[in-house]
């Protein structure tokens, strides 16, 4: 204590002088020293007001797993009223610097500041600790507004997890914290070639895991549906394998800690989306997602959330491979709820004019989504005419609208051409539910002929598949070979 003031003054002077330009290791050690000073200035024991989950009875927890069982009882411990102890004035500077270093560019510094905040908050009076938590949540909210800086969100998520794990996060703040954490689980931005925001989503999963360990089912019950949905979406559709596995682990912790049937279909989903099954991105999108969405027929509460997430988020992802997988996954799910796709998803894709967007990534994803969904509808024999004439007309006019605005040009134009070829391929194969006029058939043939001459191999391959599908379903050949119309339009042109 005799040296605490002098050390704190020196640390403040160093941070003010170097203003974030210090070496990472030096900053990390300064943050560690700062938190030690903070804990030295506070009483040498943890506060009694902290949230305590209580003692759980194993027999009750096991009984809750049986159908008709009850939720395990929580024996909450009574909290003694603590005497008011005045805080040293220096604590304001300590907490301010720790909050400031949650946005440091280095991960190790953010981790150190987060743990320091947790250790200090568990020794503060309840009012002061709540003020720190509010400042932390406000800083996290500000991090969402400052796109491109994932360091703030990562540091805030780790600090929030440390506070939750120590029982510092009050039950009254759980709803606000959960709302921000759910947003963080879907925070996916492309920053540079080798940098994205996967560390933010990983830290958000750590918060979900900490909430399950620290809080009782009665405290988390109103928030479990949104948390469970976010963890399921992360475990199935996140781009990074580390985040998918972190989400799966957090979901497993929540199902195990909450007991019984607090999370609908929790145990069934755990058996499908485990550590191994979500390891492969393609398998997770196409196989595991299909299995999870197919649980319990029409009573699955997560199916429409999965479909909406794929259509509204993953089809607009910055990674072209994710957009392609999302469209294929949507095609796999069409037969589970075709009316939802026709009544909600397809109109939403057209309503936002995604295929005419100025962003080529959004055009690419929307075209692929429309293609795969229409193909899925054709497999279910879902009729679009005459009940959905306006939607059918919009589907037929997509290629005309894209080409009239010359949306194949510009950066990433090759991906849009690829998606257009896939669109022609899928809608040609859907001739049973979406017949094309002769004028549209000829126009699509001209479009495919142009793509066949493109210098990019992937575009030419997609155009060749589109040409084969279009000819197979709209230019049938008779016993004597190709019809004169087909021979004049295609065979003579390409074989001349």
């Amino acid at each position: 204590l005799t040296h605490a003031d002098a050390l704190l003054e020196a640390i403040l002077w160093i941070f003010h002088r170097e203003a974030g330009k210090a070496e990472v290791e030096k900053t990390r050690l300064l943050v560690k020293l700062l938190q030690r000073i903070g804990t030295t200035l506070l009483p040498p024991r943890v506060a009694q007001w902290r949230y305590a989950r209580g003692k759980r009875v194993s027999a009750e927890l096991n009984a809750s797993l049986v159908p008709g069982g009850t939720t395990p009882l929580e024996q909450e411990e009574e909290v003694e009223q603590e005497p008011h102890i005045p805080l040293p004035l220096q604590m304001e500077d300590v907490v301010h610097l720790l909050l400031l270093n949650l946005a440091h560019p280095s991960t190790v510094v953010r981790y150190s500041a987060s743990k320091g905040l947790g250790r200090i908050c568990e020794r503060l009076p309840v009012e002061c600790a709540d003020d720190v938590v509010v400042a932390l949540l406000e800083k996290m909210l500000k991090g969402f507004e400052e796109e491109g800086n994932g360091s703030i969100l990562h540091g805030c998520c780790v600090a929030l997890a440390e506070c939750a794990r120590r029982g510092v996060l009050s039950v009254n703040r759980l709803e606000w914290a959960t709302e921000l954490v759910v947003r963080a689980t879907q925070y996916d931005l492309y920053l540079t070639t080798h940098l994205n925001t996967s560390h933010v989503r990983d830290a958000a999963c750590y918060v979900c895991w900490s909430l399950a360990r620290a809080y009782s089912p009665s405290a988390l019950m109103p928030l479990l549906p949104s948390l469970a949905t976010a963890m399921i979406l992360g475990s199935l559709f996140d781009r990074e394998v580390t985040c998918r596995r972190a989400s799966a682990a957090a979901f497993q912790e929540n199902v195990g800690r909450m007991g019984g049937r607090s999370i609908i279909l929790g145990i069934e989903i755990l058996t499908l989306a485990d550590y191994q099954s979500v390891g492969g991105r393609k398998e997770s999108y196409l196989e595991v997602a299909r299995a999870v969405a197919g649980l319990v027929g029409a009573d699955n509460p997560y199916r429409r959330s999965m479909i909406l997430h794929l259509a509204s988020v993953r089809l607009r992802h910055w990674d072209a491979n994710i957009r392609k997988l999302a469209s294929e996954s949507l095609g796999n799910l069409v037969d589970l709820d075709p009316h939802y796709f026709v009544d909600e998803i397809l109109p939403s894709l057209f309503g936002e004019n995604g295929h005419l967007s100025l962003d080529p990534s959004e055009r690419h994803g929307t075209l692929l989504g429309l293609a795969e969904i229409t193909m899925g509808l054709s497999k279910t024999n879902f009729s679009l005419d005459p009940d959905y004439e306006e939607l059918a007309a919009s589907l037929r006019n997509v290629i005309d609208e894209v080409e009239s605005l010359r949306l194949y040009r510009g950066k990433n134009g090759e991906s849009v051409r690829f998606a257009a070829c896939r669109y022609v391929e899928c809608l040609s194969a859907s001739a049973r539910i979406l017949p094309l006029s002769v004028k549209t058939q000829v126009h699509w043939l001209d479009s495919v002929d142009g793509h066949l001459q493109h210098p990019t191999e992937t575009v030419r391959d997609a155009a060749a598949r589109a040409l084969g599908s279009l000819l197979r379903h709209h230019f049938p050949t008779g016993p004597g070979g190709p019809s004169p119309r087909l021979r004049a339009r295609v065979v003579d042109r390409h074989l001349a």
Side-chain angles (χ1 to χ4, degrees):
L1 283 176
T2 56
H3 303 290
D5 290 342
L7 283 172
L8 181 58
E9 213 173 300
I11 292 173
L12 290 172
W13 181 80
I14 292 173
F15 274 112
H16 177 72
R17 184 190 67 174
E18 302 190 356
K21 298 179 181 178
E23 297 178 1
V24 172
E25 185 63 18
K26 179 180 178 180
T27 306
R28 184 181 72 87
L29 294 175
L30 285 173
V31 170
K32 282 188 173 296
L33 180 58
L34 185 66
Q35 61 177 280
R36 297 300 191 276
I37 294 173
T39 53
T40 303
L41 295 173
L42 294 172
R45 62 186 178 87
V46 296
Q48 296 299 313
W49 59 263
R50 295 181 309 141
Y51 179 88
R53 180 169 180 170
K55 300 175 182 177
R56 286 160 291 164
V57 183
S58 299
E60 293 170 347
L61 181 61
N62 293 332
S64 68
L65 299 177
V66 181
T70 59
T71 304
L73 300 177
E74 297 289 339
Q75 300 176 354
E76 302 293 348
E77 301 174 356
E78 295 184 1
V79 179
E80 298 179 0
Q81 189 69 26
E82 292 185 340
H84 177 72
I85 301 174
L87 291 178
L89 295 177
Q90 298 93 324
M91 287 306 303
E92 185 176 349
D93 293 328
V94 172
V95 173
H96 172 72
L97 279 180
L98 289 176
L99 286 171
L100 194 64
N101 278 280
L102 290 179
H104 194 276
S106 175
T107 303
V108 292
V109 175
R110 296 196 297 269
Y111 267 118
S112 184
S114 303
K115 290 184 179 296
L117 271 179
R119 294 188 182 108
I120 288 175
C121 285
E122 66 181 351
R123 300 187 183 199
L124 290 173
V126 58
E127 298 85 0
C128 299
D130 189 62
D131 289 342
V132 175
V133 171
V134 169
L136 180 62
L137 294 175
E138 289 177 348
K139 189 179 183 71
M140 190 173 178
L141 188 60
K142 183 181 178 181
F144 285 109
E145 298 172 358
E146 298 180 6
E147 289 191 2
N149 187 4
S151 298
I152 297 177
L153 288 176
H154 176 260
C156 290
C157 282
V158 177
L160 193 61
E162 293 295 331
C163 290
R165 197 165 62 88
R166 290 172 166 85
V168 176
L169 180 63
S170 67
V171 177
N172 296 331
R173 303 295 182 190
L174 277 178
E175 184 176 358
W176 186 11
T178 301
E179 179 185 345
L180 295 177
V181 168
V182 169
R183 287 181 62 184
T185 58
Q186 306 300 331
Y187 190 76
D188 196 350
L189 297 178
Y190 176 79
L191 301 180
T192 63
T193 304
H194 301 290
L195 180 63
N196 54 54
T197 54
S198 61
H199 60 311
V200 176
R201 304 193 299 279
D202 186 74
C205 295
Y206 178 34
V207 181
C208 297
W209 179 89
S210 300
L211 291 174
R213 292 185 66 88
Y215 294 88
S216 65
S218 59
L220 281 181
M221 188 64 68
L223 310 173
L224 279 178
S226 60
L227 278 175
T229 302
M231 289 183 284
I232 290 172
L233 294 178
S235 62
L236 294 176
F237 304 128
D238 200 284
R239 179 179 183 269
E240 308 296 335
V241 62
T242 53
C243 294
R244 292 197 301 274
R245 285 176 167 169
S247 295
F251 184 75
Q252 180 179 359
E253 191 72 20
N254 275 267
V255 172
R257 295 279 178 176
M258 294 300 101
R261 300 291 175 177
S262 299
I263 297 179
I264 301 174
L265 299 177
I267 296 176
E268 290 83 355
I269 293 175
L270 277 181
T271 60
L272 297 173
D274 57 15
Y275 182 86
Q276 294 294 336
S277 62
V278 301
R281 186 192 297 170
K282 186 174 182 179
E283 291 77 8
S284 182
Y285 268 81
L286 302 182
E287 298 176 12
V288 183
R290 165 71 192 197
V292 171
L295 290 173
V296 197
D299 299 328
N300 191 326
Y302 309 111
R303 179 185 301 145
R304 291 194 171 182
S305 297
M306 293 168 59
I307 295 171
L308 184 61
H309 176 77
L310 286 169
S312 61
V313 178
R314 297 300 165 182
L315 284 183
R316 292 164 172 78
H317 197 271
W318 52 267
D319 188 345
N321 294 322
I322 294 297
R323 298 195 295 269
K324 186 172 183 295
L325 283 174
S327 65
E328 294 174 2
S329 183
L330 283 171
N332 278 347
L333 303 180
V334 169
D335 64 303
L336 298 176
D337 198 348
H339 287 280
Y340 181 66
F341 276 92
V342 174
D343 295 333
E344 300 292 338
I345 301 302
L346 286 177
S348 70
L349 293 178
F350 280 113
E352 298 176 4
N353 286 328
H355 63 296
L356 303 179
S357 172
L358 296 178
D359 182 5
S361 298
E362 188 172 348
R363 293 202 300 271
H364 173 256
T366 303
L367 285 172
L368 288 178
L370 292 172
E372 298 295 344
I373 291 172
T374 308
M375 172 79 88
L377 289 172
S378 71
K379 293 178 181 178
T380 63
N381 292 323
F382 189 95
S383 177
L384 291 175
D385 290 327
D387 297 331
Y388 299 96
E389 291 183 359
E390 185 177 349
L391 179 61
S394 298
L395 288 169
R396 295 187 183 98
N397 294 333
V398 164
I399 297 298
D400 294 348
E401 293 173 350
V402 171
E403 293 188 347
S404 64
L405 295 177
R406 300 181 178 182
L407 295 180
Y408 294 144
R409 298 183 176 184
K411 185 179 180 181
N412 294 329
E414 294 84 359
S415 63
V416 181
R417 288 178 179 271
F418 174 87
C421 292
R422 179 60 181 167
Y423 187 87
V424 171
E425 179 184 357
C426 291
L427 265 72
S428 298
S430 307
R432 286 184 300 175
I433 66 169
L434 195 71
L436 302 176
S437 64
V438 175
K439 181 180 178 181
T440 302
Q441 296 172 23
V442 174
H443 180 265
W444 284 13
L445 270 178
D446 292 336
S447 178
V448 171
D449 286 342
H451 297 316
L452 284 171
Q453 303 171 18
H454 197 270
T456 305
E457 183 179 0
T458 55
V459 175
R460 295 197 302 271
D461 291 344
R465 293 191 296 269
L467 179 63
S469 178
L470 185 60
L471 296 178
R472 190 179 309 112
H473 295 93
H474 292 284
F475 294 84
T477 57
S483 64
R485 176 190 173 202
L486 177 62
R487 186 181 301 111
R489 179 61 185 80
V490 179
V491 179
D492 295 342
R493 170 179 293 189
H494 291 290
L495 297 182

